[in-house]
Amino acid sequence: MILAGIRPVAGVDGTVPAVNDPRHWSAHLPDGAPGGFDLPRPGTLVGAWTAALSVESDRHLLWGPVDGGPHRWVSRGEFLDRTGRLAGRLAGAGLMAGERVLLSGPSTVDLAVAHVACLRLGLVVVPTNGSYRDAELAHVISDCAPRAALVDHDGWADLLSGLDPDLLVTSVIDPFPDGLVDGLSDGLPAGLMDGSRPDDPAIIGYTSGTTGRPKGAVLTQVNLLAGAQSVLVAWRWTEADRLVLCLPLFHMHGLGVGLHGTLLAGASAVLQPGFAPDGVLDALDEHDATMFFGVPTMYHRLAEHDRVDRLGGLRLCVAGSAPLAADLHGRLADRAGVSVLERYGMTETVMLVSNPFDGDRRPGAVGIPLPGVDVRLADGSEGEGGPAGPVGEILVRGPNVFAGYWDRPDATAEAFVDDPDGGVPWFRTGDLGAVDNDGYLSIVGRAKELIISGGFNVYPREVDDALGLHPAVAEVAVAGVASPEWGEEVVAWIVVADGYDCPEADELRAFAREHLASYKLPRRVVAVDALPRNALGKVTRHELRLPD
Ligand code: MLC
Ligand code: AMP
């Protein structure tokens, strides 16, 4: 069977290289780069960071709240010093390489320091969304059994201690202050620091992947290094760059790209603990920023702002985590004179595919595989799929692809397919893609049950289960409905229980808020007599429709 692979850009001799030929990355390489460009460079994320940050130690690195106080710049030298000292405290608290640490807080310098300190000691960071409720946190804790939690949210210390009395719970701002843990020491014995090997786990990112309850994707040092290196090359990210970063630091976009890339490039970033268009536009001016990364919902809000033209002064604006609508791409081009560069990634893979820095940034397409990444469509890809060719599940492999799901060999095995030529297996993304004649990939649908709202993933079954607990709900199914602001909005279709009226959306939101993070709550409710089902009785969500 012919593989419907990413058709690479033609080689210099006019031939189309095989899918694994590095020449298919050539569209991302600066002019003159050798055809056989090699990724990743050997080493670890922490090794590469310390090398990048150990020179010119006075250079600005991160701007943001420090020690829970006002915003200021932290230099490369201060950052290395702070992360080293905190690693010493973590070791003093008895934490050892390989143990998991749950980390959660607003995007501050303190959170960045805590994250990097954990990684320098070889701990495995579990970045966690601060809007999670008890049940969502309980699942993470029981699944990966962290030894410690560094958290900065009201009420979380008690909540976490209640979930696991053995968990060492401390603050992100001043973790393990003197006296909290016996044997505490500042400073780390030589040899314990930055000693991770490339294949050591570094992060566990929770995601539902294609099916089921959230699973912990284990990313190694080298996965994260490769994931950041490829975009450094493709986006020409250098130490001269300054990024305004208001994405949360608990997902790949903000963490694996925004923060990790900044540290690796030895560049600088202005951290903002939340997104507000005014705050972003002010920061671009105040700090002479060169780059902004955001999800499409952020660009939607920025596009309405009377100072949106400020984006046009940046060297690079990147969008991802959800589809950037072609008309929003066009509005930003018209109003701000900016050609936003859209790229595609996942928790399990860091970044995969990107529009080129030089060349056509095509609205509606995610671009060409990044350096080091192989992409193809699954066997049996069908149909013409419009101008973009046959449609099939997107399969990927490369040094950026995760090691497997934590303690879930079954789920890991299901997530990969063998290579027809006996090579490295391919990871199944659960996304449906099509490739056009010059090798650009478009995402045209999903094989997995997933709603993406404002860049956050919502797993319909989890929401069904929470809403189903309401007494007025006899049966329920949620699905995503197109929304200009959120990309998709969560809508609940409900069969109302006998003797009840259909609850309003506000009432259902208030009810389910106890169980679910607020971005998962339905924004609309539709009463129906019955849910659509297939012959096996399974709800067919794609048949759920809004009333006319
Ligand atoms: C917030 N709310 C959302 C929401 N974000 N509801 C649905 N979807 C969302 N994404 C809720 C709030 O809880 C609140 O509810 C209400 O909406 C109003 O909030 P808001 O003030 O308008 O929202 P705001 O805080 O401005 O958040 C919007 C946002 C945020 C776009 C800034 O959602 C965000 O930071 N998104 C980025 C997600 C991200 O980083 N994704 C990367 C995944 S990595 P209430 O009821 O409490 O009032 C990945 C891989 C890759 O996918 O390729 O990058
Ligand atoms: P997550 O598991 O949170 O990392 O989300 C990964 C998913 O986000 C992918 O599998 C895609 O479905 C989606 N995604 C990321 N980037 C894009 C993009 N540029 N266009 C469309 N979908 C995207």
Side-chain angles (χ1 to χ4, degrees):
M1 178 149 327
I2 296 172
L3 296 179
I6 290 285
R7 266 160 289 169
V9 290
V12 280
D13 54 0
T15 58
V16 176
V19 104
N20 289 339
D21 189 314
R23 280 182 296 171
H24 78 262
W25 310 323
S26 60
H28 288 300
L29 303 181
D31 281 350
F37 188 84
D38 213 11
L39 278 170
R41 290 192 295 269
T44 59
L45 193 60
V46 287
W49 285 341
T50 43
L53 302 180
S54 294
V55 291
E56 297 183 68
S57 53
D58 290 339
R59 246 182 123 113
H60 286 347
L61 181 62
L62 296 179
W63 165 274
V66 184
D67 291 331
H71 293 57
R72 69 169 174 86
W73 277 108
V74 164
S75 68
R76 293 176 177 182
E78 183 180 352
F79 188 76
L80 283 182
D81 187 49
R82 281 178 170 263
T83 54
R85 277 189 290 120
L86 178 53
R89 281 198 189 193
L90 298 169
L95 298 173
M96 293 195 300
E99 291 182 325
R100 276 77 58 211
V101 176
L102 188 145
L103 204 56
S104 187
S107 301
T108 61
V109 174
D110 301 317
L111 188 71
V113 166
H115 174 71
V116 172
C118 288
L119 293 183
R120 294 189 72 184
L121 187 59
L123 298 167
V124 183
V125 175
V126 186
T128 304
N129 189 330
S131 58
Y132 275 5
R133 310 310 306 252
D134 304 23
E136 293 154 320
L137 272 176
H139 172 68
V140 171
I141 298 239
S142 71
D143 194 63
C144 71
R147 266 293 306 286
L150 275 61
V151 293
D152 185 9
H153 305 294
D154 286 346
W156 271 42
D158 289 343
L159 174 60
L160 288 165
S161 300
L163 288 170
D164 177 0
D166 294 331
L167 191 66
L168 297 173
V169 184
T170 186
S171 142
V172 172
I173 293 166
D174 186 21
F176 298 118
D178 285 342
L180 184 69
V181 175
D182 287 343
L184 189 70
S185 67
D186 258 6
L188 199 61
L192 274 184
M193 188 86 100
D194 305 327
S196 297
R197 288 157 304 180
D199 290 331
D200 285 341
I203 281 185
I204 300 183
Y206 274 83
T207 168
S208 279
T210 47
T211 52
R213 301 201 70 187
K215 298 181 277 280
V218 179
L219 288 131
T220 64
Q221 289 273 339
V222 81
N223 294 152
L224 295 166
L225 179 61
Q229 272 176 349
S230 66
V231 295
L232 253 57
V233 171
W235 301 343
R236 320 284 189 265
W237 195 342
T238 72
E239 65 175 15
D241 277 309
R242 179 158 296 164
L243 172 69
V244 169
L245 182 56
C246 54
L247 288 154
L249 296 182
F250 50 74
H251 276 314
M252 271 309 149
H253 199 163
L255 186 69
V257 186
L259 180 65
H260 290 184
T262 296
L263 301 178
L264 192 63
S268 54
V270 175
L271 300 179
Q272 298 199 324
F275 169 74
D278 270 324
V280 168
L281 296 165
D282 289 348
L284 297 180
D285 283 335
E286 282 163 22
H287 296 290
D288 285 331
T290 63
M291 304 198 292
F292 176 74
F293 298 170
V295 296
T297 301
M298 293 175 179
Y299 284 104
H300 175 88
R301 294 183 188 175
L302 284 164
E304 304 307 312
H305 200 284
D306 55 11
R307 285 188 286 143
V308 64
D309 60 332
R310 181 62 188 83
L311 291 181
L314 297 179
R315 186 180 77 71
L316 180 64
C317 287
V318 175
S321 309
L324 181 72
D327 78 301
L328 178 54
H329 192 282
R331 259 185 294 144
L332 288 158
D334 291 345
R335 292 184 194 167
V338 61
S339 178
V340 174
L341 182 152
E342 184 175 5
R343 94 301 176 278
Y344 160 53
M346 285 185 78
T347 301
E348 290 94 333
T349 64
V350 200
M351 293 298 106
L352 290 166
V353 176
S354 171
N355 274 279
F357 182 82
D358 295 319
D360 187 16
R361 299 181 191 170
R362 196 167 297 170
V366 290
I368 293 159
L370 280 160
V373 181
D374 293 333
V375 179
R376 70 177 176 88
L377 301 186
D379 291 2
S381 299
E382 284 176 6
E384 286 305 312
V391 171
E393 183 174 7
I394 301 166
L395 307 179
V396 299
R397 66 182 184 187
N400 53 309
V401 174
F402 75 134
Y405 295 109
W406 178 261
D407 206 18
R408 292 290 305 274
D410 53 335
T412 305
E414 273 173 34
F416 287 86
V417 289
D418 288 338
D419 179 55
D421 299 322
V424 175
W426 298 79
F427 172 62
R428 302 178 54 186
T429 61
D431 293 309
L432 299 177
V435 183
D436 70 13
N437 288 335
D438 49 4
Y440 277 62
L441 177 74
S442 298
I443 297 177
V444 297
R446 293 182 202 126
K448 54 193 173 191
E449 281 198 341
L450 171 65
I451 302 167
I452 304 184
S453 170
F456 283 134
N457 289 3
V458 180
Y459 303 100
R461 271 200 279 168
E462 190 187 9
V463 185
D464 293 350
D465 291 347
L467 300 182
L469 299 173
H470 191 287
V473 173
E475 289 178 59
V476 57
V478 303
V481 166
S483 149
E485 179 174 13
W486 297 105
E488 289 177 282
E489 256 178 35
V490 179
V491 177
W493 280 260
I494 289 178
V495 179
V496 180
D498 288 345
Y500 285 90
D501 293 329
C502 183
E504 299 286 329
D506 281 350
E507 185 195 334
L508 263 193
R509 286 172 70 83
F511 171 81
R513 202 174 276 278
E514 190 189 331
H515 306 287
L516 296 173
S518 60
Y519 65 87
K520 302 177 184 175
L521 301 172
R523 289 183 179 267
R524 278 191 268 178
V525 173
V526 180
V528 287
D529 294 334
L531 297 174
R533 291 180 187 276
N534 65 16
L536 299 173
K538 187 175 182 308
V539 174
T540 45
R541 288 183 207 272
H542 61 278
E543 291 182 312
L544 294 165
R545 297 270 182 276
L546 289 178
D548 293 332

